[in-house]
Amino acid sequence: MTEQCGMVDSVNLPNGYSSADVERWVTEPNKGVDRTEFARDRARIMHSSALRRLGVKTQVMVAGQDDFPRTRLTHSLECAQVGRELGASLGCNPDLVDAACLSHDLGHPPFGHNGESALNKLAADIGGFEGNAQSFRLLTRLEPKTFTDELSPRPNASIGLNLTRATLDAASKYPWARKPGSNKFGVYDDDVDVFTWMRADRSGTETCFEAQVMDWSDDVSYSVHDIEDAIHAGHLTVDILASADGRTEVIEIARSWYGEQFEAAGLDAALQRLYDLPCWPQTFDGTTHSMAALKNTTSTLVGRFCIAAASATRKEFGTDALTRYSANLIVPEEARYEVTALKALAARFVMNRSGVDAIYAHQRQQIADLVGAISDDPIARLDPLHRELWIAEKTPEAKARCVIDQVASLTDVSVVQWHTAMCA
């Protein structure tokens, strides 16, 4: 790909953003009337097939088994609503933060983090698999919308949705390539050219302010809503935090999964604070009153965590509009401990619940079987989009990545259907 970006008239710039922020890899005229470049980005993501597929991908509970729990799509929509309001309160362009939140999980494969772990193992020899790097790949390569010209090193090649620099940057939780000893990264080696363009003069790993808002909105959304889903499904009883033994189990998970920088005493205090809140439900039986009480818990907690971050950030950086690299989101320690405690609570009683290991093993085997079956005959077994990409690639490693892309694109339902058709 070659850089073909153009400047935007400063008259049309969103407040607080530069012409460089709204550049696209390939210049495209804005066909909308009085529509900002960030609103345009949001619309492209909203209408993408990758976003639609999240409707049948696991958030915590397996998608399609019950009507109530979140999917990756409903989580992304809720994250976007939280991020939009939090970002706007701090001076960010709301469409930009909304677009980043809608994008942040696009690359997640079937079966949630279990599927991500399986694909990372299968892709170990070609650079691994990471959901955030896959999201970037979808936005800049796999979701067809715009193409390079005939003079490009890769003529007439897909460059994905061709989003603005600022939107791509805001959607990047981990703005760095793969590092030894870490499974968290935001770009594969194949996609470094557009990634380098996106980061412009940024040589470090600092995330932009909008990405920090997106990241906290994601943490807040899934920590709170996963608890709501767990209580509704009967995996978590509302009085578990009253038990010292129950809290100890959660604390062990929190420190194991999220790091020993979270002290046990601080986590225990956070769990007790949450349980002592007037909004914490006392019972749950699925009736209208208990459902309303549970919903009140979720909305109160979301507000609690967003207000804490917004207030602390304003105290540190003042009342000006905060955008790009002008500030950092300040999350008070108390709020961070409470969100981590909630994530660990869901991890203990949902992701680690009794009997789930056998389910996870079966899911990983299905993914491994499919990667093997498709690799045996990619021309016949890849869908038309991924077959075209596979044919165009020149190296075995790049072709293998196309197979991983194909399996990652599948939903919880379609991966089972494909497995039945190819591996039975």
Side-chain angles (χ1 to χ4, degrees):
M1 287 187 283
T2 57
E3 185 172 336
Q4 307 173 51
C5 50
M7 306 298 283
V8 174
D9 189 335
S10 61
V11 173
N12 297 321
L13 286 175
N15 183 45
Y17 297 88
S18 71
S19 58
D21 294 333
V22 297
E23 285 178 359
R24 300 178 188 277
W25 185 263
V26 170
T27 302
E28 294 182 73
N30 191 335
K31 298 184 285 290
V33 178
D34 295 328
R35 185 171 67 156
T36 70
E37 294 301 312
F38 298 146
R40 192 179 176 196
D41 285 348
R42 180 184 178 276
R44 291 186 176 200
I45 297 160
M46 183 63 73
H47 291 279
S48 67
S49 61
L51 186 68
R52 292 195 297 276
R53 288 196 298 271
L54 296 185
V56 202
K57 290 194 178 187
T58 291
Q59 172 62 15
V60 174
M61 260 71 85
V62 175
Q65 291 189 348
D66 195 2
D67 293 338
F68 184 88
R70 272 83 180 170
T71 63
R72 284 281 171 185
L73 176 59
T74 53
H75 161 68
S76 296
L77 294 172
E78 289 169 335
C79 175
Q81 185 274 325
V82 172
R84 184 182 186 91
E85 292 193 11
L86 175 58
S89 74
L90 294 168
C92 302
N93 181 274
D95 285 326
L96 171 55
V97 179
D98 199 327
C101 291
L102 289 174
S103 300
H104 82 282
D105 268 353
L106 290 180
H108 271 280
F111 307 139
H113 289 292
N114 189 43
E116 185 179 21
S117 175
L119 285 174
N120 185 45
K121 183 177 181 180
L122 293 165
D125 293 338
I126 59 169
F129 181 90
E130 210 284 338
N132 295 277
Q134 193 70 14
S135 294
F136 187 80
R137 186 171 174 84
L138 277 162
L139 293 173
T140 60
R141 184 187 291 249
L142 299 180
E143 182 71 32
K145 178 69 169 65
T146 306
F147 295 82
T148 58
D149 62 27
E150 296 302 321
L151 299 178
S152 168
R154 291 196 294 123
N156 199 34
S158 171
I159 55 166
L161 296 180
N162 194 33
L163 303 178
T164 62
R165 175 182 280 113
T167 296
L168 286 175
D169 203 16
S172 297
K173 277 191 179 185
Y174 311 117
W176 55 81
R178 192 180 190 186
K179 301 175 183 178
S182 174
N183 287 330
K184 292 296 183 183
F185 58 99
V187 60
Y188 301 122
D189 290 345
D190 287 351
D191 307 318
V192 163
D193 51 0
V194 66
F195 180 83
T196 301
W197 167 83
M198 174 195 80
R199 293 291 285 177
D201 296 328
R202 296 279 160 186
S203 58
T205 59
E206 179 187 10
T207 54
C208 67
F209 187 71
E210 293 85 354
Q212 295 173 47
V213 172
M214 174 272 289
D215 196 13
W216 182 240
S217 300
D218 180 30
D219 271 6
V220 168
S221 297
Y222 83 75
S223 67
V224 172
H225 295 137
D226 287 359
I227 294 301
E228 182 183 359
D229 286 352
I231 291 173
H232 183 273
H235 298 310
L236 174 64
T237 56
V238 294
D239 62 351
I240 189 67
L241 301 188
S243 162
D245 289 341
R247 293 196 304 274
T248 297
E249 289 187 63
V250 176
I251 290 165
E252 290 173 354
I253 288 284
R255 302 192 76 213
S256 173
W257 284 37
Y258 304 112
E260 294 190 356
Q261 71 271 21
F262 292 100
E263 297 178 356
L267 289 165
D268 188 62
L271 290 166
Q272 292 190 67
R273 281 197 306 273
L274 291 167
Y275 184 68
D276 290 340
L277 289 173
C279 70
W280 192 265
Q282 299 304 304
T283 60
F284 182 81
D285 59 9
T287 59
T288 54
H289 283 284
S290 64
M291 288 284 285
L294 183 58
K295 184 58 65 179
N296 180 59
T297 302
T298 63
S299 59
T300 300
L301 290 175
V302 169
R304 176 184 179 87
F305 300 140
C306 288
I307 290 169
S311 298
T313 302
R314 282 299 187 198
K315 183 177 180 180
E316 178 74 17
F317 292 101
T319 58
D320 291 342
L322 306 178
T323 63
R324 300 292 278 145
Y325 293 92
S326 67
N328 289 305
L329 188 73
I330 307 299
V331 179
E333 182 179 82
E334 185 174 283
R336 198 171 291 282
Y337 264 83
E338 289 177 5
V339 164
T340 301
L342 287 175
K343 290 193 293 185
L345 190 60
R348 166 61 184 86
F349 292 99
V350 181
M351 281 81 91
N352 280 14
R353 68 187 185 274
S354 176
V356 79
D357 287 345
I359 295 172
Y360 289 165
H362 181 62
Q363 291 172 345
R364 291 192 296 270
Q365 188 62 55
Q366 286 182 310
I367 287 176
D369 290 346
L370 261 186
V371 169
I374 295 171
S375 298
D376 287 343
D377 194 355
I379 295 294
R381 290 173 172 168
L382 290 168
D383 69 20
L385 186 152
H386 291 90
R387 183 188 309 128
E388 179 185 7
L389 296 172
W390 186 91
I391 291 170
E393 295 293 358
K394 305 301 183 185
T395 68
E397 292 79 12
K399 288 180 180 293
R401 175 65 65 186
C402 290
V403 175
I404 297 295
D405 289 339
Q406 173 73 87
V407 176
S409 75
L410 300 177
T411 67
D412 290 23
V413 171
S414 62
V415 75
V416 174
Q417 294 171 338
W418 280 47
H419 188 271
T420 300
M422 295 182 190
C423 307

